[in-house]
Amino acid sequence: MGKTVRKLQVVSPVPADIDIANSVEPLHISEIAKELNLSPQHYDPYGKYKAKVLLSVLDELQGSEDGYYVVVGGITPTPLGEGKSTTTVGLCQALGAFLDKKVVTCLRQPSQGPTFGIKGGAAGGGYSQVIPMDEFNLHLTGDIHAITAANNLLAAAIDTRIFHESTQTDKGLFNRLCPPDKEGKRSFSNIMFRRLTKLGISKARPEELTPQEIKKFARLDFDPSSITWRRVMDINDRFLRKITVGQGPEEKGMVRETGFDISVASEIMAVLALTTSLADMRERLGKMVVGNSKAGDPITADDLGVGGALTVLMKDAINPTLMQTLEGTPVLVHAGPFANISHGNSSIVADKIALKLVGRGGFVVTEAGFGADIGTEKFMNIKCRYSGLTPQCAVIVATIRALKMHGGGPEVVAGKPLDHAYLTENVALVEAGCVNLARHISNTKAYGVNVVVAVNKFATDSEVELNAVKAAALSAGAFDAVICTHHAHGGKGAVDLGVAVQRACENIAQPLKFLYPLDMSIKEKIEAIAKSYGASGVEYSEEAEKQIGMYTKQGFGSLPICMAKTQYSFSHNAAAKGAPSGFVLPIRDVRASIGAGFIYPLVGTMSTMPGLPTRPCFYDIDLDTTTGRVIGLS
């Protein structure tokens, strides 16, 4: 990677992220592509600093060997985050800029919700960032806008279909769905044959259908109370969580309650992340279940005739976006599914392309959202199942701050100054909190990967505290544990981590082991995951029991499980720190993303539309109208 590497001039104290990002002139994206041996026909530039990498590169490199595959997870975090994205970027800068390895970082695309809300951007931090930071955190190449458009087209199709079915006879409905052409001949459109096949009707021409078949074909007969599909937008707007539609005079009598989710919570985002090809995406989008008929049969996007149109809206979004780190190493940014409700990992296609581009001996480092109990578990049991890829190493990011919290330290609250306990040496608190790290290590090791612990060092951490974490990590079975200073020093501060990760990848001897087989029942799979959290059992609400029964009957029981629970504890109770055990995990409801390919049980209450705080991040965001630069992004 020698030619593109950029040596950083680091200063102390570390300036604001946006100031660091703006101080570095990015390389032209063609230079980043060239270093990966990407020929111009395999990418489309979007301006000077980003490009869409086309899936055709996979066909060309089909016979090439894959590089090493590394996933970065974390311990159970504080609300401040422990620097997982920063560590992912810092590790890649170390591998590419200092250890002379071919490397690609694979990251999720951030939502504008956190960017303008409470968390800020997600491009990494300090001297370990993706640039241009403003482009990364804002529109990028428009993928989230494409998802929003596709999602809302499907929402409009649902309500419109219910409206038309309520005002027309079976025959009238059928005649409008299959209108005569100029010669007076009727025909089925291509997508209609999918519904006919599903109904077991093998006739090729509309006039051949019996009145009974006409009714089955034309009338979806939605049960409005069963509709799960909601509209989306990519900003935090709490007042849209619950809305009423159909209040216009022309839709009188068609009023129903629904709501908005944030765009990254859309199933279409999860489909984008888990798809393996354009053809696979077309099938997944068409299979998305949006509700049931009054007879209890699932109704899909293809039943509504919209699966093809959704694919057209998503045809460019399937291509990952190529960017770069501060030190000129390549990054593929793609997909950004919600890490609570969805599986919280970037896309399979980006990882597959990256593994071919780095080749044998190269490294692909991808990040899994939240703590390893959520992100890494879903990476292994959902993402790796659909991709067929096997990671060699899992990194677990830890901080002294989070370990002290798990050891019984005072509450950590975003926006409030840290308690004195977090700013002074307290080895006993750190050691007590290492039970959380130990459980994450043993859970992750069970998949057959080597685990490397990255301790993200803060200025207030003492040598004794850091050594205590290293000792606890090794005694819990970690392959290695390394202190990292990549936030302050860039790739140079993660060289030891890079060396440890390389050794971990080279010394893997086991195949990937899943937590559960897919032929287990839905409940057995839920219970296997709950056990990994430390639960002694699972308790299902009446609604959850009903949904499990329905999904099993509809033939969806063999899908993997995607638990929707708090990221702040192994348990359902965010206040239960450390490594709680013996609790009963309550399953409030069970829902399904059939197109994406998972069942998601709800553990407690999950908000799919965040709200804005009193002082959102947008107070600090502005444009320098002289230079045209964005200022105030965090």
Side-chain angles (χ1 to χ4, degrees):
M1 303 294 288
K3 290 194 287 291
T4 61
V5 164
R6 184 194 296 107
K7 293 298 174 199
L8 288 175
Q9 302 298 314
V10 304
V11 298
S12 181
V14 179
D17 291 352
I18 188 73
D19 294 335
I20 294 173
N22 284 341
S23 72
V24 173
E25 182 62 35
L27 297 159
H28 196 282
I29 201 63
S30 60
E31 291 187 55
I32 304 294
K34 200 168 155 190
E35 283 302 309
L36 286 171
N37 297 320
L38 264 178
S39 53
Q41 75 262 29
H42 288 316
Y43 66 91
D44 290 335
Y46 276 60
K48 290 187 283 189
Y49 306 128
K50 53 191 191 293
K52 281 280 196 180
V53 179
L54 308 178
L55 299 195
S56 54
V57 74
L58 278 174
D59 301 326
E60 193 161 297
L61 296 174
Q62 208 172 3
S64 309
E65 273 192 68
D66 285 354
Y68 292 121
Y69 193 29
V70 180
V71 60
V72 178
I75 64 169
T76 307
T78 68
L80 307 176
E82 309 320 307
K84 207 157 53 305
S85 302
T86 310
T87 303
T88 303
V89 175
L91 167 59
C92 292
Q93 289 180 173
L95 286 164
F98 290 88
L99 298 171
D100 205 28
K101 302 293 177 189
K102 266 205 154 184
V103 64
V104 174
T105 315
C106 289
L107 291 175
R108 288 181 292 166
Q109 181 185 345
S111 161
Q112 288 180 45
T115 299
F116 292 119
I118 198 165
K119 182 173 176 255
Y127 287 101
S128 296
Q129 290 188 59
V130 179
I131 54 170
M133 178 193 175
D134 55 336
E135 294 184 30
F136 179 88
N137 283 313
L138 297 170
H139 305 281
L140 200 62
T141 46
D143 293 356
I144 296 181
H145 300 319
I147 287 160
T148 304
N151 184 99
N152 294 343
L153 174 63
L154 182 47
I158 294 164
D159 286 311
T160 303
R161 185 58 173 265
I162 295 170
F163 171 74
H164 288 307
E165 285 192 22
S166 73
T167 57
Q168 296 175 45
T169 62
D170 297 341
K171 192 177 175 188
L173 200 57
F174 184 67
N175 289 343
R176 285 182 177 88
L177 286 169
C178 303
D181 61 17
K182 286 174 186 171
E183 281 90 50
K185 287 182 182 169
R186 294 181 186 278
S187 62
F188 292 118
S189 64
N190 283 339
I191 201 167
M192 289 176 173
F193 286 107
R194 290 175 178 249
R195 175 151 178 82
L196 290 164
T197 303
K198 178 180 170 179
L199 295 170
I201 300 169
S202 54
K203 295 167 182 177
R205 296 201 305 275
E207 57 269 24
E208 295 173 347
L209 267 62
T210 65
Q212 185 69 20
E213 289 169 336
I214 283 172
K215 181 173 183 168
K216 272 170 77 180
F217 170 78
R219 197 166 290 283
L220 300 181
D221 200 28
F222 267 100
D223 170 4
S225 70
S226 74
I227 296 168
T228 51
W229 200 261
R230 289 152 61 92
R231 287 157 176 84
V232 300
M233 65 194 309
D234 195 37
I235 55 170
N236 296 355
D237 193 344
R238 68 172 74 238
F239 282 88
L240 292 178
R241 287 173 182 166
K242 197 171 191 179
I243 61 165
T244 307
V245 293
Q247 302 250 26
E250 290 84 6
E251 291 76 46
K252 212 162 183 177
M254 299 296 301
V255 175
R256 73 177 183 91
E257 270 191 359
T258 179
F260 273 76
D261 295 330
I262 196 161
S263 296
V264 290
S266 171
E267 184 178 348
I268 296 178
M269 176 62 92
V271 165
L272 177 66
L274 290 170
T275 198
T276 52
S277 67
L278 197 56
D280 178 63
M281 184 171 77
R282 169 65 189 89
E283 292 309 307
R284 286 174 180 270
L285 290 171
K287 282 195 302 194
M288 293 187 305
V289 172
V290 297
N292 296 328
S293 69
K294 286 172 186 151
D297 298 317
I299 299 170
T300 66
D302 273 348
D303 289 328
L304 281 157
V306 75
L310 301 181
T311 311
V312 169
L313 286 170
M314 292 292 293
K315 73 179 176 64
D316 296 325
I318 197 173
N319 300 314
T321 301
L322 181 65
M323 294 187 76
Q324 64 192 285
T325 68
L326 284 168
E327 296 186 71
T329 61
V331 180
L332 284 178
V333 185
H334 203 212
F338 230 44
N340 290 94
I341 301 291
S342 195
H343 67 292
N345 280 264
S346 63
S347 79
I348 286 172
V349 292
D351 291 358
K352 285 195 158 189
I353 289 170
L355 285 163
K356 294 294 182 198
L357 289 174
V358 300
R360 186 176 182 179
F363 290 83
V364 171
V365 183
T366 188
E367 182 199 344
F370 291 148
D373 55 316
I374 297 181
T376 307
E377 184 270 307
K378 293 173 182 181
F379 171 86
M380 301 291 184
N381 292 306
I382 300 174
K383 187 177 177 181
C384 289
R385 263 204 169 94
Y386 285 123
S387 69
L389 299 172
T390 300
Q392 287 78 37
C393 172
V395 175
I396 295 177
V397 179
T399 59
I400 298 295
R401 174 178 71 197
L403 292 167
K404 283 180 175 178
M405 179 191 73
H406 288 296
E411 195 182 357
V412 176
V413 182
K416 286 189 181 174
L418 279 171
D419 188 273
H420 184 68
Y422 296 104
L423 307 173
T424 52
E425 184 175 288
N426 190 327
V427 181
L429 214 50
V430 172
E431 287 176 339
C434 283
V435 291
N436 184 271
L437 174 61
R439 185 178 289 171
H440 282 297
I441 292 168
S442 60
N443 280 359
T444 307
K445 266 189 76 177
Y447 296 109
V449 297
N450 282 330
V451 174
V452 173
V453 172
V455 186
N456 188 11
K457 186 184 174 185
F458 287 59
T460 49
D461 302 340
S462 77
E463 206 66 34
V464 191
E465 289 173 330
L466 294 165
N467 287 335
V469 180
K470 282 176 72 172
L474 294 170
S475 70
F479 181 86
D480 205 346
V482 183
I483 311 303
C484 306
T485 61
H486 45 275
H487 183 272
H489 303 121
K492 189 178 178 183
V495 168
D496 289 348
L497 178 61
V499 170
V501 164
Q502 182 179 349
R503 283 181 44 247
C505 287
E506 289 168 350
N507 284 283
I508 194 68
Q510 298 180 64
L512 180 62
K513 294 180 224 154
F514 297 119
L515 188 55
Y516 51 81
L518 290 181
D519 57 8
M520 268 186 171
S521 70
I522 291 174
K523 279 190 172 182
E524 286 172 321
K525 286 182 277 202
I526 290 171
E527 282 147 26
I529 298 170
K531 196 175 169 189
S532 77
Y533 298 157
S536 58
V538 179
E539 188 177 82
Y540 301 90
S541 71
E542 203 178 314
E543 183 61 24
E545 293 276 10
K546 191 179 112 190
Q547 294 297 107
I548 289 168
M550 185 185 74
Y551 293 136
T552 305
K553 187 179 155 206
Q554 290 177 340
F556 304 136
S558 62
L559 291 173
I561 300 296
C562 185
M563 297 289 258
K565 81 165 182 78
T566 178
Q567 68 270 35
Y568 295 124
S569 173
F570 272 110
S571 78
H572 55 288
N573 174 12
K577 304 303 181 191
S581 60
F583 57 91
V584 175
L585 194 75
I587 305 295
R588 180 173 66 84
D589 196 2
V590 178
R591 295 179 194 161
S593 291
I594 302 304
F598 54 75
I599 302 284
Y600 63 98
L602 297 177
V603 184
T605 309
M606 292 291 130
S607 174
T608 50
M609 172 55 88
L612 289 170
T614 309
R615 192 193 186 282
C617 292
F618 61 61
Y619 270 89
D620 301 311
I621 298 169
D622 212 327
L623 195 70
D624 181 328
T625 53
T626 309
T627 63
R629 276 192 160 158
V630 174
I631 50 176
L633 271 180
S634 59

